[in-house]
Amino acid sequence: MFPLAADNCLTRNDWICGAYYASRAGVLRDALVQHVALVFVSVLLGMLLAIPLALLARRYPRLEGVVVGTTTAIYTIPSLALFSLLVPLTGLGVVTVVVGLGLYSLTILVRACLDGLASVPADVVEAARGMGYSGARLLRSVELPLALPTIMGGLRVATVSAVALTTVGAILDYGGLGTLLIQGKETDFRAQVLITSLLCVAMAVILDLALVAAQRLLTPWTRQQVTS
Amino acid sequence: MDAAAGDVVIGEVYHWLSDPAHWSGPDGITVRLTEHVLLTVLSVLIAVAIGLPLALWLGHRGSGGSVAINVTNIGRAVPIVALLALLSMGVFGSADFGPFGRAGLATLVTLSLFALPPIITNTWVGMREVDRGIIEAARGMGMSEAQVARRVEVPLALPLIVSGVRLAVVQVWATATIAALVAGPGLGRIIKHGYDAQRGAEVVAGALVVAVIALALERFFALVQSWATARASGQAARSVGAAA
């Protein structure tokens, strides 16, 4: 048995505590993995829905107003409220968190896809048509590559936002690091709150840098431009 | 939960909201709504008081661009839950703060910080996007720098400034909900209470109140923004006319 008044960083409730990191490394790792998985699946879900939606909205202008209006409305709804409004449809579990986060990503990504496609110069599209490009081939070889910088910009915003928003999933016990963070707050455990907060910020920064690197590889022709 | 259970919840939500007992008392909707409105209004005012002059000055001088742009990116990466937990466990504590409720001071500071980025970024970009020709013409007419800023740049930047305030208000309204997850006051408490008590109707009812007001705020500021845009284009025409 440990003496009751053992003096260490845990009993002192220090903000930084090596003993805590060492003893709970597995728990922290599991939360980190869950956090990354939630971000990845929900942003991917948003992306898979955003591209066809943007293409449909572009083809049918009347649909564009509906898509832009609906996505703006969704983005306005607070995350805790959105998760809660989804509960009757998707239950009290991980599906609600993924669908909620996916909807937020979708709203950012649909806009980015529409803006990106609109930014393709009309004369380039004309020239490509003149060379015999049309339909899916025009989209794949000409329009999407030229829209990519804008789409990637949206993807960065969606990903960084998703990392922060995932913490709210703690209300449904699927918040990755957020679950540990709120548990730490409720038990007034400083080291746990600080380390999970820092890991969230670090994850957002690392994923953002990774997407910047991916964008440079995918669109070498934009390298002269300054990317913020 | 299946579809049938969903139907039941909608009926229960109406039932829950129409019960006057849920609106009154120290934990009622009225108290939480007041906290939520007070927090949103005051934190946006604080952010405007700090961010607006700073961004107007930087935008007029054309300096500090990377700060003005990156502050939004940084704000996005910091989870509100984390900042609020750290502030309420650290310097500001979780004590009641007048009509702002539990951990009111920590919540107010956190929300003010979250309202800053859209105000700073939009104001700065708005000031920089004013037609250089119009500004040169105003200087040529002998306007002082303060007059150029006040009579030419600010009116022309107004649509983007209003759009920044609109973003800030909607974001703060939304973020204030999350405060309850950690310690804070506001309408999120009703949602949190519903989760803790496993009462779906209370969760959805709280969320509905927040969401409906969020959409109303968004519509209201969209109207203000279109008014500002109409005014700015009139101003631009006058400025160009005066310069010509």
Side-chain angles (χ1 to χ4, degrees):
Chain A
M1 285 294 285
F2 295 109
L4 276 176
D7 185 47
N8 59 40
C9 61
L10 285 170
T11 53
R12 283 194 308 269
N13 199 12
D14 287 346
W15 288 104
I16 297 167
C17 181
Y20 163 67
Y21 311 143
S23 64
R24 308 289 295 205
V27 175
L28 284 166
R29 196 186 52 234
D30 289 349
L32 192 73
V33 169
Q34 189 191 67
H35 206 117
V36 175
L38 285 169
V39 169
F40 182 77
V41 173
S42 54
V43 173
L44 189 70
L45 182 74
M47 197 63 174
L48 287 178
L49 290 171
I51 293 174
L53 259 180
L55 290 175
L56 274 175
R58 191 176 63 147
R59 174 169 289 187
Y60 306 102
R62 212 182 302 166
L63 201 63
E64 184 172 350
V66 177
V67 168
V68 170
T70 312
T71 51
T72 308
I74 293 174
Y75 203 70
T76 313
I77 299 174
S79 51
L80 190 57
L82 183 64
F83 287 167
S84 308
L85 292 174
L86 284 171
V87 164
L89 302 170
T90 50
L92 282 162
V94 68
V95 180
T96 300
V97 178
V98 169
V99 171
L101 291 172
L103 277 174
Y104 279 119
S105 303
L106 178 68
T107 63
I108 297 167
L109 292 168
V110 162
R111 283 290 182 89
C113 289
L114 280 171
D115 291 347
L117 289 171
S119 74
V120 179
D123 49 354
V124 173
V125 176
E126 274 313 301
R129 280 192 202 279
M131 289 167 69
Y133 282 82
S134 67
R137 195 156 151 259
L138 176 71
L139 183 70
R140 202 180 57 240
S141 329
V142 180
E143 292 178 296
L144 276 185
L146 287 174
L148 205 57
T150 311
I151 297 175
M152 289 296 286
L155 192 60
R156 287 174 59 193
V157 173
T159 305
V160 171
S161 306
V163 172
L165 274 176
T166 297
T167 54
V168 179
I171 194 86
L172 292 155
D173 284 327
Y174 285 93
L177 292 162
T179 310
L180 283 185
L181 202 161
I182 286 169
Q183 190 191 81
K185 162 67 198 169
E186 279 168 358
T187 53
D188 195 35
F189 189 177
R190 288 174 169 173
Q192 183 163 319
V193 171
L194 185 61
I195 191 67
T196 47
S197 303
L198 291 177
L199 284 173
C200 280
V201 175
M203 188 191 300
V205 172
I206 289 168
L207 289 177
D208 193 45
L209 291 176
L211 285 171
V212 172
Q215 186 187 337
R216 289 198 178 174
L217 284 175
L218 287 169
T219 59
W221 61 89
T222 59
R223 245 174 238 171
Q224 271 85 7
Q225 289 174 15
V226 183
T227 41
S228 63
Chain B
M1 234 179 268
D2 56 21
D7 293 342
V8 175
V9 167
I10 300 306
E12 285 172 4
V13 169
Y14 177 76
H15 203 71
W16 196 90
L17 279 173
S18 53
D19 184 347
H22 293 140
W23 287 80
S24 55
D27 294 317
I29 300 174
T30 314
V31 170
R32 297 294 171 228
L33 187 62
T34 311
E35 287 174 352
H36 210 104
V37 170
L38 279 175
L39 283 166
T40 305
V41 170
L42 194 61
S43 52
V44 172
L45 284 179
I46 292 172
V48 166
I50 297 170
L52 194 65
L54 183 73
L56 285 177
W57 181 66
L58 288 175
H60 176 75
R61 285 165 40 103
S63 56
S66 60
V67 176
I69 303 300
N70 282 321
V71 75
T72 291
N73 296 336
I74 297 165
R76 230 180 250 127
V78 180
I80 170 85
V81 171
L83 192 60
L84 187 61
L86 290 171
L87 288 180
S88 63
M89 288 170 79
V91 276
F92 296 113
S94 303
D96 272 28
F97 184 62
F100 298 98
R102 195 174 73 184
L105 191 56
T107 310
L108 197 61
V109 171
T110 307
L111 293 177
S112 304
L113 287 173
F114 266 78
L116 271 177
I119 290 168
I120 290 181
T121 304
N122 275 44
T123 305
W124 191 88
V125 171
M127 291 291 277
R128 296 316 298 163
E129 279 188 354
V130 175
D131 191 325
R132 294 292 107 191
I134 295 177
I135 293 172
E136 283 314 310
R139 285 199 181 116
M141 287 164 67
M143 281 194 194
S144 69
E145 287 305 300
Q147 283 175 320
V148 170
R150 204 178 63 241
R151 292 208 207 150
V152 180
E153 286 179 294
V154 171
L156 290 176
L158 201 60
L160 265 176
I161 297 174
V162 172
S163 138
V165 175
R166 170 187 177 185
L167 262 176
V169 169
V170 174
Q171 278 180 11
V172 166
W173 181 265
T175 307
T177 319
I178 304 175
L181 260 189
V182 185
L187 285 166
R189 284 280 281 278
I190 293 170
I191 301 175
K192 173 92 162 69
H193 189 261
Y195 277 108
D196 291 346
Q198 296 280 308
R199 262 202 304 273
E202 192 175 351
V203 168
V204 178
L208 211 56
V209 174
V210 178
V212 166
I213 297 176
L215 291 174
L217 282 173
E218 166 74 16
R219 291 318 306 156
F220 172 73
F221 276 94
L223 287 177
V224 177
Q225 198 180 333
S226 53
W227 166 82
T229 309
R231 201 168 163 255
S233 47
Q235 176 81 19
R238 273 200 305 283
S239 304
V240 172

